[in-house]
Amino acid sequence: MKRLFSLFVFIVVGALCAFAQESFPVVLEREMKSEILGTAKKYCIYLPAGYGDESKEFPVLYLLHGLTDTHTAWRDKGNVQAIATDIFESGKAQEMVIVMPDAGTTFDGYFNVPGWRYEDFFFQEFIPHIEKEYRVIADKGHRAIAGLSMGGGGTTGYAIRHSGMFSSAYAMSALMGMVENSWISKDPSDRRGVFMRSAIEYSNIAAIKNATEKQLKEIASVRWFIDVGDDDFLFDNNVEFISAMREKRLRYQLRVRDGGHTWQYWQEALRIALPFVSEGFTKR
């Protein structure tokens, strides 16, 4: 009887180990406590097929969502698991961990505004959490950032102000800034007004235009890719940003494709983004 029981345990354990090994690639939904924001923040994380090998470490891409969406957008609407797995299996990009944070569905965003110090949270708490909990390589050469719309603006702003953190930045249909308008409320209780004002105060266009020589040198250490559809309502916004980049003689790649502000466009953009950021990762 003991031998039969031992055989049963061996078979069950073996099956569980086989299942664990076959559970990658996978997108997991996780949560962490933020002292800065005073709340728990959820995120999704894609772990590639090779993550089952515990001896391996991986480069990491932070993939940001747009306004009105959450950390689940790239998983549920962006088809990130299928696209990433296809790209990695085809050899078009090296395997990487993809992290999808939550910047809120209401008018909060990726920058520090009254009552919402998200940029502080991202760099002081979120990235350290990811680098502690997962086998990612914690340096500029193996860290990249990308995002769409509001997340494209966050991608650009983070790579401008924290150039030492990222090897590549891929901005899709990005909100690059906003001009002053009388209808933008200054009332701090008006979250929409606060968000719109942050797009003015954290203008990526102005940041490039007003950058010092030292700042420009740091910004130039990032590999830049701007991707926007010819029918996108933010097209002119991106053209203005590119004009500022050209004026400052900063290198970048620009892709204008047929399409608008849609998930179909962003899914195709992700297929370009993954090989681009992969090429920028430091070889080990």
Side-chain angles (χ1 to χ4, degrees):
M1 179 63 71
K2 288 184 177 179
R3 293 181 63 183
L4 287 174
F5 178 76
S6 298
L7 178 62
F8 173 78
V9 171
F10 177 80
I11 293 172
V12 170
V13 171
L16 288 174
C17 289
F19 176 78
Q21 291 173 355
E22 295 172 358
S23 62
F24 301 104
V26 65
V27 175
L28 304 174
E29 187 172 8
R30 293 290 184 260
E31 183 176 281
M32 64 165 290
K33 173 66 176 177
S34 169
E35 297 297 330
I36 290 174
L37 297 178
T39 186
K41 293 303 298 175
K42 293 183 178 181
Y43 60 93
C44 284
I45 185 165
Y46 169 92
L47 303 176
Y51 201 84
D53 182 347
E54 295 187 1
S55 68
K56 289 185 176 180
E57 292 183 318
F58 297 86
V60 58
L61 169 65
Y62 290 88
L63 187 59
L64 311 186
H65 67 78
L67 186 65
T68 75
D69 278 324
T70 70
H71 60 292
T72 63
W74 276 106
R75 181 194 68 185
D76 298 342
K77 302 176 184 179
N79 205 21
V80 65
Q81 182 169 338
I83 291 173
T85 302
D86 178 59
I87 292 293
F88 300 151
E89 288 181 349
S90 69
K92 295 177 181 177
Q94 62 179 295
E95 286 189 328
M96 67 190 77
V97 169
I98 304 175
V99 183
M100 294 152 275
D102 175 24
T105 56
T106 54
F107 293 91
D108 296 319
Y110 293 97
F111 306 139
N112 288 343
V113 296
W116 183 254
R117 291 170 51 209
Y118 192 88
E119 188 166 345
D120 289 345
F121 156 74
F122 190 89
F123 288 95
Q124 296 174 28
E125 293 183 329
F126 187 63
I127 288 180
H129 168 80
I130 296 298
E131 294 178 346
K132 178 183 177 183
E133 296 296 323
Y134 303 94
R135 283 182 278 111
V136 298
I137 306 169
D139 61 38
K140 173 186 173 76
H142 296 90
R143 194 187 293 119
I145 190 165
L148 66 90
S149 194
M150 177 185 77
T155 292
T156 308
Y158 283 3
I160 289 173
R161 290 189 296 281
H162 305 271
S163 303
M165 293 291 290
F166 305 107
S167 56
S168 300
Y170 195 107
M172 314 171 190
S173 309
L175 177 61
M176 292 297 191
M178 189 176 293
V179 297
E180 186 77 49
N181 285 287
S182 60
W183 54 268
I184 297 179
S185 172
K186 296 183 180 180
D187 181 357
S189 66
D190 176 9
R191 300 312 297 171
R192 182 177 183 275
V194 169
F195 171 79
M196 294 300 183
R197 183 151 298 281
S198 74
I200 298 172
E201 295 173 351
Y202 289 96
S203 169
N204 295 317
I205 298 167
I208 296 296
K209 289 182 176 180
N210 300 328
T212 65
E213 288 301 317
K214 180 177 182 295
Q215 289 170 331
L216 289 173
K217 185 176 180 180
E218 294 169 349
I219 293 167
S221 72
V222 179
R223 300 170 68 251
W224 292 91
F225 200 123
I226 312 303
D227 190 340
V228 63
D230 57 1
D231 296 319
D232 198 304
F233 74 94
L234 290 175
F235 179 81
D236 291 341
N237 197 238
N238 280 255
V239 169
E240 188 174 356
F241 178 78
I242 288 297
S243 296
M245 294 277 281
R246 288 173 64 86
E247 182 180 336
K248 297 297 183 178
R249 292 182 172 83
L250 290 167
R251 297 182 64 182
Y252 61 88
Q253 289 194 44
L254 170 65
R255 187 65 53 87
V256 178
R257 295 180 288 114
D258 181 35
H261 212 73
T262 67
W263 275 106
Q264 179 181 356
Y265 190 93
W266 300 322
Q267 287 185 21
E268 289 303 312
L270 184 61
R271 291 186 175 276
I272 304 170
L274 294 176
F276 174 75
V277 302
S278 176
E279 291 171 4
F281 289 140
T282 303
K283 302 299 185 291
R284 299 187 84 188

